[in-house]
Amino acid sequence: MAKKEKTTFNYAAELKRLKDGGLQRLYVLSGPEDYLRECFLGEMLKLSGLTQEDFSYKRFNGPALDMTELAEAVDAMPFFSECSFVEVRDCDLGKCREEDSERLKKIVSDIPDYCTLVFTFSPGNTPDGRTAPMRALKKYACAIEFSEQEQGALSRWVQSRFRALNKMISPSDAEYLIFLGGTRMNALIPEIEKIAGFAQGDTVSRAEIDATATRIPEADVFKLTDLLAQRRYDAAAALLSDLLDNKDNHPIFLTALIGQQMRRLYAAKLGRDSGCAKRDVMELCDVRYDFIYDKLCAAAKPFSAAQLGECVKLCAEYDYKMKSTGVDAYVLIRELFSRLAMVN
């Protein structure tokens, strides 16, 4: 059987499809990239000719949803407009009673020509697709999952956001900011604004990014393993202390991230050593961006495969200890750090 290629979400293509084909009767909008979802929703509303202040626009906010009110909103004739627009946000369809589930099926199967009904779900709130209400929605809806953009599109978007603030940033530094801040656009926007406000010249420098950008824990864990590979143990210990000082970074969470990074390094090492194709190694490591893959391979290079295999085992061992023993997790993660340093 041929290997199925992963498809990349293409926002521009979805937007063109919307403008060329017009509004459909039913949509389900979900996925982790909430910035693009909101942009798309705005384009839909613009295409309808309505605003959120118009009588023909109705919005229901979850988690509960009154099916009688929804049916009335969907069936209501447009008021001083050619169409109506009904939006349902973050409804918990998994908790629908059987009678409500049946009513929802009836509503979505017979939406009037003049109405567009949109169900939007924030990241992490999409109901299980196997439930009866979601099966009904998928049967009739145009379902779009807004995932992170591919590397080139996201980098160009970062550069365009800086240009809107009268600042320039190189493609490599845009990728570096994505590495530090993550791939979610809504999270990157305040970082871009903060860096642009801090930058002294017309072009943002790497030093200015380092001085102002908020790093996601994954980026710091990447740096931590780099420091271990370079045998800069004092710097690595200082970074670990900084991470633990942040109460959002529980030792179990950090151990999981360190373990994930060690597994990726191990997979990258084995994949490269065995001559696997780059795309196969990226898929094995669950890495979507070329520049992160390059950093991963560079980080794995100083280690031997045996060393990385031992690091993976240690992370699994201490993850189990933290979850199954009464030993202080803060003591255990420092012990794990010492043992990882000894492996190198």
Side-chain angles (χ1 to χ4, degrees):
M1 181 181 293
K3 186 176 179 180
K4 185 178 180 181
E5 293 290 332
K6 285 187 176 179
T7 57
T8 302
F9 172 71
N10 189 322
Y11 178 75
E14 288 293 347
L15 192 58
K16 184 177 186 304
R17 190 176 296 114
L18 171 68
K19 293 181 176 180
D20 290 348
L23 288 170
Q24 306 299 308
R25 297 186 194 180
L26 178 64
Y27 288 86
V28 175
L29 309 182
S30 62
E33 190 42 79
D34 46 357
Y35 173 82
L36 288 181
R37 187 197 69 226
E38 292 303 309
C39 289
F40 190 82
L41 191 59
E43 292 293 337
M44 291 174 66
L45 199 56
K46 187 188 300 182
L47 196 59
S48 74
L50 299 172
T51 69
Q52 293 184 357
E53 285 72 42
D54 287 315
F55 287 107
S56 294
Y57 169 86
K58 295 288 188 295
R59 174 168 166 172
F60 298 90
N61 294 312
L65 178 62
D66 188 307
M67 294 301 168
T68 299
E69 292 181 359
L70 178 63
E72 290 174 351
V74 169
D75 290 336
M77 293 293 293
F79 188 76
F80 288 114
S81 62
E82 294 183 357
C83 62
S84 61
F85 197 98
V86 180
E87 182 186 349
V88 180
R89 282 189 174 258
D90 288 328
C91 173
D92 191 351
L93 296 179
K95 293 184 178 179
C96 273
R97 296 173 300 178
E98 186 174 351
E99 57 266 36
D100 284 338
S101 180
E102 291 301 318
R103 292 191 69 187
L104 180 63
K105 290 180 188 178
K106 185 176 180 180
I107 292 169
V108 299
S109 66
D110 191 27
I111 299 173
D113 291 341
Y114 54 76
C115 179
T116 293
L117 173 59
V118 186
F119 284 80
T120 64
F121 297 101
S122 301
N125 283 340
T126 305
D128 190 328
R130 297 168 294 182
T131 61
M134 282 302 290
R135 288 201 305 270
L137 288 184
K138 288 183 176 181
K139 181 178 179 180
Y140 299 102
C142 173
I144 305 174
E145 182 176 354
F146 294 82
S147 60
E148 290 89 348
Q149 291 291 274
E150 55 89 16
Q151 176 179 327
L154 188 57
S155 177
R156 289 190 296 272
W157 175 81
V158 169
Q159 293 173 73
S160 70
R161 295 288 302 197
F162 273 107
R163 283 197 298 272
L165 298 170
N166 299 315
K167 297 291 181 179
M168 302 296 290
I169 186 171
S170 69
S172 61
D173 282 345
E175 291 173 351
Y176 180 66
L177 175 58
I178 294 166
F179 171 72
L180 293 185
T183 57
R184 292 273 300 278
M185 290 176 164
N186 269 340
L188 286 170
I189 288 172
E191 296 302 311
I192 292 169
E193 293 173 347
K194 180 170 57 175
I195 294 166
F198 176 80
Q200 299 301 304
D202 293 334
T203 300
V204 172
S205 69
R206 182 71 61 94
E208 288 168 330
I209 295 173
D210 283 330
T212 54
T214 301
R215 304 169 70 101
I216 58 174
E218 289 84 351
D220 278 324
V221 167
F222 211 126
K223 184 178 180 181
L224 181 69
T225 56
D226 275 350
L227 292 171
L228 288 175
Q230 297 164 18
R231 295 183 172 84
R232 296 173 57 190
Y233 302 124
D234 288 345
L239 177 56
L240 178 63
S241 294
D242 289 342
L243 288 170
L244 291 173
D245 285 342
N246 184 342
K247 297 307 178 184
D248 290 333
N249 295 332
H250 191 276
I252 292 178
F253 169 68
L254 290 178
T255 299
L257 289 183
I258 294 170
Q260 178 189 60
Q261 177 67 357
M262 289 301 179
R263 290 192 297 274
R264 285 177 170 172
L265 291 171
Y266 188 40
K269 188 75 175 181
L270 293 178
R272 289 290 294 269
D273 288 352
S274 61
C276 290
K278 176 179 177 179
R279 287 295 151 189
D280 291 335
V281 178
M282 289 179 70
E283 183 175 349
L284 184 64
C285 298
D286 193 26
V287 171
R288 299 182 62 236
Y289 299 101
D290 289 337
F291 68 90
I292 294 180
Y293 167 81
D294 292 339
K295 289 179 70 68
L296 193 66
C297 290
K301 190 174 182 179
F303 294 98
S304 68
Q307 286 174 321
L308 289 171
E310 181 61 25
C311 289
V312 170
K313 290 179 183 178
L314 284 171
C315 291
E317 175 187 338
Y318 277 84
D319 179 75
Y320 176 78
K321 284 183 178 180
M322 288 181 188
K323 295 173 181 176
S324 62
T325 69
V327 181
D328 189 335
Y330 288 88
V331 172
L332 287 175
I333 194 171
R334 289 188 171 90
E335 186 178 309
L336 168 63
F337 170 81
S338 298
R339 294 189 64 181
L340 290 174
M342 290 172 63
V343 169
N344 191 23

